[in-house]
Amino acid sequence: MSDIVTVRDEGHVRYITLNRPEKKNAISLELAWGVIEAVRAAAADDNVWVVGLTGTGDAFCAGLDLTPGGKPYTPLSPQAAQLDDIGWVGQFVLTLRKACDKPVVGGINGVAVGAGLGLAMACDVRLVAHSARLMAGYTRIGGSPDAGLTITLPQAMGYERAMRFMMENRTVTGEEAVAWGLAGEAVADADFQGRFQSYCQSLCDWSPITLRLLKRGMVKSYETPDPEVQLRYEVSNIRIAFASEDAKEARQAFFEKRKPVFKGR
């Protein structure tokens, strides 16, 4: 794997950055699988409590790189690759939402189109720069949505808004993206990187056990049609949470009127 995906840690935050600025971070096989592998590695590292995902240059991800002659790449074994019927395009949601139960914060610093929008929407929360442009783009090229957008867009926007957004081939920028439900916060371009990093760091004020169980519950709720099953899952999770050392520290800090010190245990 080249430096097409860069990784760095600051405290308990792992920043994963798409790094093809000359292509506006357009998706090649190596870039797509590189992001997936980097997120899975973060999920397996107990010292990582929060994942921040963003792009270099003036783009988050301009979608699939359509340049002819792209190099083949897969991290899968030959047999696993033969049996794989989802590919990287389906792994964005499965990896960011399910394989990684830690919060994934999307720093949408610039254009996010097609599968690039799918990657952005697979994040748990999104901060978007004022100048960033978000578009599905599938109707323009005679395609149908992929990269999980038929799941994540209706979840974020509601059914009709998601239909209109895609059917009308709309492009929205910063504050419009927030109004449409595509992001939770719009940030001035000059302040974007600082705000993105400070937001990721702020989530580390909480116990990683709490955050992981919270995310598991939220993700599970979209998969569980029976409310009683979901309620039992909630009770199981809160038992695990309250049995942790972090929960005991949180209660002690509450009574002592001080900021808790979490250790992820």
Side-chain angles (χ1 to χ4, degrees):
M1 178 63 61
S2 67
D3 61 356
I4 200 168
V5 175
T6 64
V7 174
R8 66 181 176 87
D9 290 349
E10 281 190 20
H12 291 296
V13 179
R14 176 157 297 173
Y15 295 102
I16 299 171
T17 305
L18 285 69
N19 189 34
R20 294 185 82 202
E22 74 285 357
K23 293 283 190 178
K24 294 192 178 295
N25 302 320
I27 295 173
S28 63
L29 289 173
E30 185 181 11
L31 177 61
W33 283 112
V35 169
I36 292 163
E37 290 180 285
V39 173
R40 287 181 176 269
D45 189 336
D46 284 351
N47 193 54
V48 175
W49 296 5
V50 175
V51 178
L53 181 65
T54 192
T56 51
D58 62 355
F60 176 75
C61 178
L64 184 63
D65 186 353
L66 299 175
T67 305
K71 296 179 181 178
Y73 177 86
T74 178
L76 304 177
S77 70
Q79 189 176 96
Q82 180 181 347
L83 295 172
D84 179 29
D85 60 349
I86 295 177
W88 62 264
V89 75
Q91 284 296 334
F92 282 169
V93 169
L94 291 178
T95 296
L96 272 64
R97 293 283 180 94
K98 293 210 35 121
C100 181
D101 60 1
K102 301 169 182 180
V104 180
V105 179
I108 316 306
N109 58 303
V111 63
V113 177
L117 179 63
L119 178 59
M121 296 306 299
C123 297
D124 298 302
V125 297
R126 285 158 296 281
L127 282 70
V128 60
H130 279 175
S131 66
R133 293 177 292 112
L134 283 67
M135 180 177 66
Y138 293 92
T139 53
R140 184 179 62 181
I141 61 171
S144 61
D146 60 3
L149 286 171
T150 60
I151 300 169
T152 56
L153 282 180
Q155 285 178 359
M157 305 166 72
Y159 179 83
E160 181 175 347
R161 274 197 161 191
M163 286 290 291
R164 290 176 67 99
F165 176 75
M166 289 191 281
M167 286 194 303
E168 297 165 9
N169 195 37
R170 284 181 176 258
T171 298
V172 296
T173 58
E175 292 178 337
E176 294 175 308
V178 174
W180 272 76
L182 287 159
E185 182 178 345
V187 184
D189 290 18
D191 302 327
F192 183 78
Q193 285 302 323
R195 174 56 183 157
F196 170 58
Q197 292 178 26
S198 67
Y199 182 79
C200 290
Q201 293 294 335
S202 73
L203 297 182
C204 296
D205 289 344
W206 311 114
S207 165
I209 292 172
T210 294
L211 295 180
R212 293 177 72 172
L213 290 171
L214 183 160
K215 179 172 176 176
R216 288 182 188 182
M218 296 288 275
V219 171
K220 194 73 170 177
S221 71
Y222 282 101
E223 303 172 341
T224 308
D226 186 337
E228 186 174 345
V229 171
Q230 180 67 16
L231 292 170
R232 291 183 186 279
Y233 187 70
E234 287 184 356
V235 171
S236 174
N237 279 351
I238 200 168
R239 285 175 177 157
I240 295 170
F242 277 160
S244 70
E245 291 181 23
D246 278 358
K248 295 171 186 175
E249 163 65 8
R251 293 191 291 273
Q252 188 68 27
F254 174 81
F255 288 120
E256 295 176 359
K257 295 182 172 55
R258 61 174 173 83
K259 185 176 179 178
V261 179
F262 296 121
K263 298 180 179 178
R265 296 196 293 266

